[in-house]
Amino acid sequence: MTDIVHVPVMSREVLEYLSPEQDDALLVDCTMGEGGHSELFLQKYPELKVIGLDADSAIQSIARERLAPYAPRVRFFNTWFNLFFKDYPLGGERPNLILFDLGISVFHFEKAGRGFTFRADEPLDMRLDSSLETTAADIVNGYPEEQLANILYHYGEERYSRRIAAAVVRARAVKPVATSKALEEVIWKSVPDKYRRGRIHPATRSFQALRIAVNGELARLEQALEYALRVLAPGGKMGVISFHSLEDRIVKHFFLGKNKTCTCPEDWPMCKCEGEPIVSIITRKPLVPGEDEISSNPPSRSAKFRVARKMKEWE
């Protein structure tokens, strides 16, 4: 069997807070990856059915192999989660549980060979779906300096975004910045010495920003949450694991917005939603991994898990 390199985060909390409340429940695992969370659900709940989504066909092939023992209860869709829910293909068969794990699998850092990490010298690609037109190299070598700086600042919250962007523009004038190591070297040389000795590598935020930009991750998340909640069966639960503040902010505000007692547009003369919230927020504060999990699985350290229950349909 293909080596499994990714450990699903917050497994205990996910199984507890997204526990099915009927025997034949349907779970949509929106970011199945290597299938870790889905495998745990299938093991624990023998009647549960799972739909697994992933935009990356390479990692989905690993999940197919891993979940082969549960084949009758699993269906796979090689697609982005926002597109799946927008054009929901299953008609009246609605999910009772929806899980978003927004973390990038260790597979992409260790096995994909697409420049997600600066620990190896790989082509600057960063596409989760190879059919996307724009690669990280296209952005790094083709975008104007100001636009590049804005990407690093807004998507990576990189404090030295303008210094890094200027350094990249100077470097690419000599020759294209074509690999992850080449970009890492440019970033390393462009930031202050004190920043190099910080808690994280100085290229971490820039690489995150480029990956988000290449794959349109934040826009896809905003769309997917709305579409998915509409598809979710009333009474069903939706859980989202995020790994940085930009994602968590989107999820938090989405749940809070749907938890208002009135969700009518502000310009409507009178309330038509009957003053009832669309969701009930189950986790008032996000759940975070415990010290034991962080110790055994360091990538989990920044995870935040939020859960809400759908209370009613809405227009």
Side-chain angles (χ1 to χ4, degrees), residues 21-168:
E21 295 169 353
Q22 58 193 79
D23 290 340
D24 59 346
L26 175 62
L27 163 70
V28 177
D29 188 344
C30 298
T31 43
M32 181 177 264
E34 295 175 356
H37 283 118
S38 286
E39 183 178 42
L40 294 172
F41 274 99
L42 290 162
Q43 287 174 344
K44 185 168 184 178
Y45 304 108
E47 302 299 321
L48 180 79
K49 296 173 292 183
V50 171
I51 291 173
L53 314 179
D54 211 290
D56 187 342
S57 59
I59 198 170
Q60 192 171 69
S61 66
I62 298 174
R64 286 179 181 273
E65 187 176 357
R66 180 179 195 166
L67 301 178
Y70 310 96
R73 294 193 281 137
V74 187
R75 283 170 285 175
F76 299 89
F77 289 82
N78 179 206
T79 185
W80 293 100
F81 47 52
N82 60 315
L83 300 180
F84 176 83
F85 288 114
K86 180 181 180 181
D87 304 312
Y88 189 65
L90 303 180
E93 186 185 7
R94 302 172 67 179
N96 312 99
L97 304 165
I98 295 176
L99 171 64
F100 291 87
D101 175 358
L102 302 175
I104 297 298
S105 172
V106 175
F107 166 85
H108 290 108
F109 293 115
E110 303 292 343
K111 305 281 188 179
R114 297 177 221 159
F116 289 103
T117 177
F118 42 80
R119 293 194 296 270
D121 197 19
E122 301 170 347
L124 268 180
D125 187 319
M126 296 196 191
R127 292 175 298 174
L128 294 170
D129 174 359
S130 60
S131 70
L132 295 176
E133 293 184 3
T134 303
T135 68
D138 294 330
I139 294 175
V140 167
N141 293 290
Y143 280 27
E145 181 178 328
E146 183 177 2
Q147 188 177 1
L148 179 57
N150 287 340
I151 286 172
L152 302 185
Y153 181 76
H154 291 298
Y155 294 158
E157 300 177 301
E158 173 52 67
R159 62 188 296 191
Y160 293 109
S161 58
R162 304 212 173 278
R163 289 179 63 159
I164 293 171
V168 167

Side-chain angles (χ1 to χ4, degrees), residues 101-304:
D101 175 358
L102 302 175
I104 297 298
S105 172
V106 175
F107 166 85
H108 290 108
F109 293 115
E110 303 292 343
K111 305 281 188 179
R114 297 177 221 159
F116 289 103
T117 177
F118 42 80
R119 293 194 296 270
D121 197 19
E122 301 170 347
L124 268 180
D125 187 319
M126 296 196 191
R127 292 175 298 174
L128 294 170
D129 174 359
S130 60
S131 70
L132 295 176
E133 293 184 3
T134 303
T135 68
D138 294 330
I139 294 175
V140 167
N141 293 290
Y143 280 27
E145 181 178 328
E146 183 177 2
Q147 188 177 1
L148 179 57
N150 287 340
I151 286 172
L152 302 185
Y153 181 76
H154 291 298
Y155 294 158
E157 300 177 301
E158 173 52 67
R159 62 188 296 191
Y160 293 109
S161 58
R162 304 212 173 278
R163 289 179 63 159
I164 293 171
V168 167
V169 170
R170 290 193 299 270
R172 75 191 191 192
V174 178
K175 65 177 182 178
V177 181
T179 69
S180 52
K181 275 293 185 183
L183 178 59
E184 183 244 1
E185 184 176 351
V186 171
I187 295 171
W188 180 269
K189 291 180 178 179
S190 71
V191 299
D193 183 63
K194 182 179 180 181
Y195 194 52
R196 298 173 189 163
R197 300 193 302 270
R199 183 177 59 85
I200 63 173
H201 191 287
T204 300
R205 293 186 176 91
S206 294
F207 271 66
Q208 170 190 296
L210 289 169
R211 191 201 74 230
I212 289 173
V214 166
N215 295 287
E217 293 176 26
L218 299 184
R220 290 186 194 279
L221 175 60
E222 290 179 330
Q223 293 174 4
L225 291 172
E226 182 76 24
Y227 294 140
L229 187 60
R230 289 184 179 274
V231 168
L232 183 66
K237 294 179 286 187
M238 179 190 296
V240 187
I241 305 173
S242 62
F243 287 83
H244 56 76
S245 60
L246 299 174
E247 293 172 339
D248 183 59
R249 197 174 303 140
I250 290 171
V251 178
K252 175 184 177 181
H253 290 164
F254 177 77
F255 283 165
L256 287 174
K258 299 302 184 186
N259 184 240
K260 293 179 179 177
T261 54
C262 177
T263 56
C264 296
E266 292 182 2
D267 57 349
W268 282 20
M270 59 183 295
C271 176
K272 294 185 179 182
C273 70
E274 300 177 348
E276 296 178 357
I278 294 168
V279 306
S280 169
I281 298 175
I282 296 174
T283 53
R284 281 293 164 182
K285 292 184 178 180
L287 303 176
V288 296
E291 293 182 5
D292 289 346
E293 179 172 5
I294 294 173
S295 176
S296 62
N297 185 23
S300 71
R301 65 184 178 276
S302 56
K304 292 183 177 180

